Amino acid sequence: PIQVGGSIRDKDTAQAYRDTGVSYVIIGTKAVESPAFVVELCTSFPGHIFVGLDAKDGKVATDGWARVSTHNVIDMAQAFEKDGVEAIIYTDISRDGMQSGVNVDSTLALAEAVNIPIVASGGITNLDDIRSLCAVAHPGTGAGIMGAITGRAIYEGSLDFSEAQKLADQLTSAQ
């Protein structure tokens, strides 16, 4: 399945992506600024809308992380869950790209606060981070942590994607 996010600010753009075979459309800043837009998309494309929530110290950041709002990330995730969002992509921006380790505690707290899946992002550095996330993932429940996003660790060579996927498959199938 293909997921696309970034600069999706209207229904026509979401429709264009869906028409080309994109499985999931990810809404970020626009979701925070205009929650009604999320409701519109969830109604038009049920089961195909993700919301990206980037946060620092539990508060949602927008506009490429330039602004940290007063919105609590858990409160917003719960509201988006009620609106019909399929999953939340959660990025701890204080760790993203830092290769300092994933924030398992905050990711787990968010996953336990909602009944939709969470995709962890920010700080994933090596197989230890994959092990840590898998230990609390709760696979097969329809919620919990369903995946992880990493970038810099692959580029820097501290995480082999194939090995990480094998480990995740092994650990989650054993649960």
Side-chain angles (χ1 to χ4, degrees):
I2 297 172
Q3 304 167 14
V4 173
S7 298
I8 300 170
R9 308 234 188 284
D10 57 58
K11 185 178 170 186
D12 290 341
T13 303
Q15 182 70 58
Y17 281 127
R18 291 287 300 134
D19 288 347
T20 61
V22 169
S23 301
Y24 303 102
V25 177
I26 306 164
I27 310 302
T29 295
K30 178 78 173 187
V32 176
E33 293 175 348
S34 179
F37 178 63
V38 174
V39 173
E40 177 186 7
L41 290 184
C42 288
T43 301
S44 298
F45 311 108
H48 297 280
I49 304 300
F50 287 7
V51 167
L53 291 177
D54 304 333
K56 182 175 184 179
D57 300 323
K59 300 298 180 188
V60 175
T62 60
D63 300 305
W65 306 345
R67 291 184 327 145
V68 177
S69 73
T70 58
H71 299 295
N72 179 284
V73 71
I74 289 176
D75 293 342
M76 292 216 75
Q78 290 170 334
F80 289 132
E81 175 183 17
K82 289 176 187 169
D83 293 338
V85 166
E86 187 69 12
I88 300 290
I89 298 175
Y90 169 67
T91 303
D92 179 335
I93 65 172
S94 66
R95 294 184 184 221
D96 192 60
M98 298 291 108
Q99 291 193 289
S100 59
V102 66
N103 188 337
V104 175
D105 293 339
S106 291
T107 305
L108 178 59
L110 181 58
E112 290 178 336
V114 295
N115 293 307
I116 56 175
I118 302 298
V119 177
S121 178
I124 296 171
T125 304
N126 54 40
L127 291 177
D128 288 338
D129 291 320
I130 303 303
R131 281 185 195 91
S132 296
L133 286 171
C134 288
V136 297
H138 309 299
T141 64
I145 301 167
M146 77 169 193
I149 296 172
T150 187
R152 186 168 183 182
I154 293 172
Y155 302 135
E156 299 286 331
S158 65
L159 181 71
D160 178 280
F161 179 78
S162 296
E163 290 300 313
Q165 186 63 60
K166 277 194 258 184
L167 178 63
D169 290 344
Q170 176 188 35
L171 292 174
T172 56
S173 69
Q175 290 183 354

